[in-house]
Amino acid sequence: MRIGALAGLEVAPVSLGRAMHKEVLLIERFDRVPAGDGWQRKAMVSTLTMLALDEMMARYASYEDLAELVRHHFKDARATLRELFSRLAFNILCGNTDDHARNHSAFWDGQALALTPAYDICPQPRTGNEASQAMLIAGGERMSRIAS
């Protein structure tokens, strides 16, 4: 997550802590805002929901389809597409294959969508020098290759 921020991605703030004698990653909540004496939840929707897919159909979620949604329904589509592409490239480079459609979300303000900060970057070691992304990249391609 910190390397993602250094690479220019918009990511949720993180820190390392200890709990029960173990290191834990603390991710700051970005889906809440102060309201009076408490907090108010910001409306948020996952890519799985935006693509109208259920859990059994999640394997059909794609960056390509998400990009099309961004073009038509998001605030500042150009900047959002740049951020989405940067996240995809970063996921491939760092080995984050946990980029499924529940790990991409948007805030809804009642009129338009806005990409949330990245919040679940989880690099995995590659075995056999091959890996695949959880979401399709283009067409039926999901292999973790820069060429994709």
Side-chain angles (χ1 to χ4, degrees):
M1 298 280 290
R2 288 179 175 170
I3 294 171
L6 290 171
L9 299 181
E10 184 185 352
V11 300
V14 298
S15 61
L16 293 175
R18 291 193 68 79
M20 299 179 69
H21 308 292
K22 294 183 180 181
E23 289 185 343
V24 294
L25 177 65
L26 302 170
I27 303 172
E28 187 175 312
R29 297 294 304 243
F30 55 83
D31 61 337
R32 306 281 195 271
V33 291
D37 291 337
W39 296 89
Q40 181 178 359
R41 187 173 185 160
K42 293 176 74 172
M44 203 168 107
V45 61
S46 74
T47 293
L48 194 66
T49 299
M50 288 186 281
L51 295 176
L53 298 171
D54 63 28
E55 294 293 336
M56 297 302 293
M57 302 299 285
R59 68 181 175 275
Y60 298 111
S62 73
Y63 282 98
E64 202 170 30
D65 290 340
L66 177 54
E68 193 62 26
L69 281 172
V70 168
R71 286 182 190 93
H72 297 285
H73 302 288
F74 277 65
K75 295 177 187 176
D76 197 0
R78 174 172 265 157
T80 303
L81 288 169
R82 188 175 304 113
E83 175 73 14
L84 183 62
F85 178 80
S86 297
R87 290 181 189 189
L88 170 57
F90 185 78
N91 286 338
I92 291 170
L93 290 170
C94 81
N96 177 32
T97 57
D98 190 36
D99 60 339
H100 56 80
R102 287 239 186 261
N103 282 343
H104 295 284
S105 297
F107 293 123
W108 172 249
D109 68 3
Q111 296 184 21
L113 295 161
L115 201 61
T116 66
Y119 52 87
D120 194 1
I121 299 173
C122 185
Q124 302 294 318
R126 293 182 186 215
T127 57
N129 293 324
E130 284 192 2
S132 60
Q133 298 309 120
M135 283 189 13
L136 295 164
I137 297 170
E141 182 63 48
R142 71 174 70 244
M143 293 303 293
S144 301
R145 292 187 285 243
I146 297 299
S148 296

